[in-house]
Amino acid sequence: MPNARSLLAAALACLVLPLAAVPAHASTPITKKLSYTCPFPLIGLQKLDVEIKASFEVPSAPGGTFTTADLAVSVTVPDKSTRGLALVGAASIEGTASAGVTLTNGPLTLPLALPLTVAKTAVPSSGPFTTNASGSVPPVRLPNGGKTALTIGGFSTRLTPKKADGSFTGLGSFTSDCTLDAGQDPVLLSFDLGSSRDYGVTGATTLKTLGATAPLTGSFTGFSPAFDRARAEFKVFGFVPGTADLQFSPDGPQTGELAGDGFVAHAKLALTLPQVTLFGLPVADAGCRASAPIPVDLRTGAGFALATGGPVTGGYAIPALTGCGTFTAYLSSLFQSDGNTFAVTLAVR
């Protein structure tokens, strides 16, 4: 017959979640939510939701250092576990965890056990509560070019519940191992190190509300697009001729990951409109621009090959315009929209 000790043991396993990491692109914050299952005496299998946050930096070439900062893990402890802790008089919980992480870098596979410290957390008499864990991850040198990934596995926790006076409960310290639930993406980060290719770009962007298409040229290096200035021709009310010069430029670090022989680039672009005309007359100041960066996932399509290139598409929304002068509000009503698209072809050069 399970006793209070075994129930608490089960409860404790709920407290810490695995984790640890190793980084991504320059100061890029990442949040990942995963669920784990822990076998608990008396209360059976319990699912735990974990949120992992960290910031990563990836070297630009093989031989560089992969670093992680601001690693934090939060776990919501379910009511059954809270009541189990209460049975042995626990007023607080604290401890450590070791997360199983695998780093792959080209032909290298490096298993890592990353330590976390579980902050002392008050235990309520009932209901769920949240524990927080943090840790520092040592820099890792990446010797090889090619696909590099950080994959999360299971974790082990060692937790100590204490009474209000700081003394140990009858349980002492408890160790529990938990496993990642199936059907989830365990990859925290994936990138191609030092083997990015430089492509030329041809194609077009379509502006939905204007019913206009602007031809595009430019370059695409790694996961970063750089489009040349383009011009869209349109008609307002079906008969008023207008033109808009469009300049899409990278805004901050551009990230992405490989997918088979293609990729998805998570681009963030600034849009400026250096010139807008109606009836051939300029109607926008030189500072006319989108009021916020434009995120767009640019995905390779059928027939694409990293060695040669191929089609890439993506949809995006244009936010309100700003800095356009007297006609800012009117021009914003013309351009602000979702459902806009990029459709380009990349060719290795």
Side-chain angles (χ1 to χ4, degrees):
M1 173 85 179
N3 55 19
R5 181 186 179 95
S6 63
L7 177 59
L8 178 57
L12 292 178
C14 292
L15 295 184
V16 185
L17 264 53
L19 208 22
V22 198
H25 286 266
S27 299
T28 299
I30 288 179
T31 298
K32 185 96 172 180
K33 294 182 179 181
L34 296 167
S35 66
Y36 287 80
T37 295
C38 300
F40 303 139
L42 189 62
I43 57 177
L45 295 176
Q46 296 293 302
K47 289 186 180 294
L48 306 178
D49 292 326
V50 181
E51 182 176 79
I52 301 156
K53 293 184 177 181
S55 294
F56 303 107
E57 290 189 14
V58 164
S60 59
T65 301
F66 187 45
T67 60
T68 304
D70 305 322
L71 175 62
V73 181
S74 62
V75 179
T76 299
V77 179
D79 176 62
K80 280 188 177 181
S81 298
T82 303
R83 288 186 280 116
L85 289 165
L87 285 177
V88 294
S92 66
I93 188 77
E94 59 193 276
T96 60
S98 178
V101 176
T102 300
L103 176 66
T104 56
N105 170 228
L108 173 68
T109 298
L110 182 64
L112 302 172
L114 301 177
L116 294 168
T117 298
V118 182
K120 184 177 181 180
T121 304
V123 177
S125 58
S126 63
F129 68 98
T130 300
T131 61
N132 295 297
S134 61
S136 60
V137 180
V140 178
R141 179 178 173 274
L142 301 179
N144 305 308
K147 187 169 183 179
T148 302
L150 185 70
T151 303
I152 298 170
F155 67 97
S156 178
T157 63
R158 185 162 181 81
L159 302 170
T160 303
K162 292 183 179 181
K163 297 179 180 180
D165 63 4
S167 62
F168 292 103
T169 66
L171 183 64
S173 295
F174 176 74
T175 299
S176 181
D177 299 322
C178 294
T179 57
L180 181 67
D181 291 341
Q184 302 179 93
D185 177 11
V187 177
L188 185 62
L189 177 68
S190 178
F191 58 95
D192 192 31
L193 177 61
S195 59
S196 61
R197 291 177 169 82
D198 181 30
Y199 302 93
V201 172
T202 57
T205 183
T206 298
L207 307 179
K208 182 179 178 181
T209 57
L210 288 176
T213 297
L216 288 176
T217 57
S219 63
F220 210 115
T221 303
F223 298 122
S224 182
F227 299 120
D228 298 329
R229 182 165 167 169
R231 172 164 293 186
E233 297 182 354
F234 57 91
K235 291 186 177 181
V236 180
F237 306 125
F239 65 91
V240 178
T243 66
D245 286 3
L246 311 171
Q247 181 69 68
F248 292 95
S249 304
D251 188 306
Q254 308 292 294
T255 64
E257 59 266 351
L258 297 178
D261 199 29
F263 62 81
V264 54
H266 305 302
K268 188 166 67 171
L269 304 174
L271 171 61
T272 58
L273 292 85
Q275 179 173 287
V276 182
T277 69
L278 292 175
F279 282 123
L281 301 174
V283 292
D285 289 355
C288 188
R289 66 191 185 279
S291 58
I294 297 173
V296 53
D297 283 349
L298 295 166
R299 299 178 182 274
T300 56
F304 186 93
L306 291 172
T308 56
V312 172
T313 59
Y316 64 97
I318 298 177
L321 302 185
T322 187
C324 304
T326 303
F327 298 104
T328 293
Y330 177 68
L331 293 175
S332 189
S333 71
L334 293 181
F335 286 87
Q336 185 176 5
S337 63
D338 55 15
N340 307 296
T341 61
F342 288 111
V344 299
T345 298
L346 308 189
V348 167
R349 58 185 188 181

